[in-house]
Amino acid sequence: MTQLSAAQKPSDGSKALYGGKGTRRITVRDIALAKERGEKWPMLTAYDAMTASVFDEAGIPVMLVGDSAGNCHLGYESTVPVTLDEMTMLSAAVVRGTSRALIVADLPFGSYQEGPVQALRSATRLIKDAGAGAVKLEGGERSYEQIRLLVEAGIPVMAHIGLTPQSVNAMGYRVQGRGEEAAAQLLRDAKAVQDAGAFAVVLELVPAELAAEVTRSLHIPTVGIGAGAETDAQVLVWTDMLGLTGGRVPKFVKKYADLREVMGNAAKAFAEDVVGGTFPLEEHSVH
């Protein structure tokens, strides 16, 4: 492992992304240094200021304003209908609710597929109007030129390969990279986004062995979601992680709480108090 000089270490005096004591924003340089140190780190999605502030206080170093908001909060059946206006609004809210985390904003479907110029125009909105620190876009080799132009313009890019939800109509929700040919293509995609200048790459729903191989072959961090334990970081959708999502959740999700039950019970208790005349009481009243 490469030894870092004092000048190369994060300027807030803390080596760890997670649990660090600094108050400045995490940067893509911190992410790169974590890879050199062999340090794993967590990432969660966030879509509003209040939730983001909780995660920021908990020390989550990177938050993704994902177009998964379409499923979790906007009532869409997939991420495809999410608009750039919606992503700009949600990203700005998350930025306002945080002081330390690096905020990565998704480029939604239709905002970068036309080519590099469209991608730059869309990413500029998320950086300039919303205040995001980086953007994320889907695709490997096919998104090389978009990533390259954004990076040349000074916009940090997190890439996303494997299962790419914006392509659900073409590929469906299934494991990517199985079989020799598919695995070789995923490796080519990973190296393409690295060569284009991406500072990190999300690997979604990829066999653990392949994700480990990709992680070893890249000098940029890999962020796994359903990609085994050998990636440099892990990300989950926060409503899945906290048990707020109804119905079935993917196999790779670990539920750390059951907020759906907690919130439901609280709502029922409130309703029963109102119907029974036990809320509000004198102590809840003003005169």
Side-chain angles (χ1 to χ4, degrees):
M1 189 65 64
T2 303
Q3 287 294 108
L4 301 177
S5 69
Q8 291 176 299
K9 293 177 182 179
S11 60
D12 64 2
S14 171
K15 293 177 68 174
L17 283 182
Y18 172 68
K21 302 297 183 183
T23 57
R24 68 172 178 83
R25 287 278 181 187
I26 299 293
T27 68
V28 295
R29 175 170 168 74
D30 297 315
I31 301 300
L33 292 174
K35 172 82 170 185
E36 293 184 32
R37 293 191 295 264
E39 173 193 337
K40 291 183 178 288
W41 45 273
M43 180 166 78
L44 285 172
T45 63
Y47 316 108
D48 64 89
M50 181 179 294
T51 305
S53 70
V54 173
F55 297 157
D56 204 44
E57 292 170 8
I60 300 299
V62 185
M63 289 184 220
L64 171 65
V65 188
D67 57 6
S68 48
N71 310 81
C72 301
H73 291 277
L74 302 178
Y76 301 140
E77 291 186 1
S78 73
T79 64
V80 174
V82 177
T83 67
L84 184 59
D85 285 343
E86 290 167 337
M87 289 307 306
T88 302
M89 178 191 67
L90 296 172
S91 299
V94 171
V95 171
R96 288 193 295 268
T98 58
S99 62
R100 180 175 181 266
L102 170 64
I103 307 304
V104 182
D106 253 339
L107 284 170
F109 180 75
S111 70
Y112 63 93
Q113 282 85 356
E114 288 180 16
V117 174
Q118 185 200 29
L120 179 59
R121 187 182 308 116
S122 300
T124 298
R125 281 198 61 191
L126 294 174
I127 299 295
K128 189 173 182 178
D129 297 346
V135 300
K136 182 174 76 65
L137 57 78
E138 296 182 0
E141 290 181 324
R142 63 184 170 87
S143 296
Y144 177 91
E145 292 299 334
Q146 284 94 325
I147 295 171
R148 185 181 63 81
L149 181 59
L150 295 187
V151 173
E152 288 180 353
I155 299 175
V157 177
M158 178 180 284
H160 184 155
I161 62 176
L163 174 65
T164 49
Q166 292 175 9
S167 303
V168 62
N169 291 329
M171 65 170 55
Y173 288 104
R174 58 189 178 86
V175 176
Q176 302 297 304
R178 280 181 172 159
E180 186 174 338
E181 183 177 343
Q185 180 60 58
L186 192 128
L187 279 165
R188 288 194 296 269
D189 285 335
K191 291 179 179 178
V193 299
Q194 175 177 264
D195 292 345
F199 74 90
V201 57
V202 173
L203 306 177
E204 181 168 359
L205 210 57
V206 172
E209 299 81 5
L210 178 58
E213 182 180 354
V214 171
T215 300
R216 289 191 298 268
S217 69
L218 299 183
H219 64 255
I220 62 173
T222 56
V223 183
I225 177 166
E230 299 303 314
T231 55
D232 298 300
Q234 297 289 333
V235 61
L236 284 177
V237 172
W238 85 262
T239 52
D240 292 345
M241 186 269 291
L242 290 178
L244 198 57
T245 304
R248 296 180 60 186
V249 296
K251 175 185 178 181
F252 56 74
V253 172
K254 179 176 179 179
K255 190 164 67 172
Y256 286 83
D258 193 346
L259 290 193
R260 194 173 187 89
E261 181 177 358
V262 171
M263 293 174 68
N265 289 341
K268 290 175 183 177
F270 164 69
E272 289 168 1
D273 281 358
V274 171
V275 172
T278 57
F279 178 83
L281 298 175
E282 181 61 25
E283 61 263 34
H284 305 122
S285 304
V286 296
H287 301 284

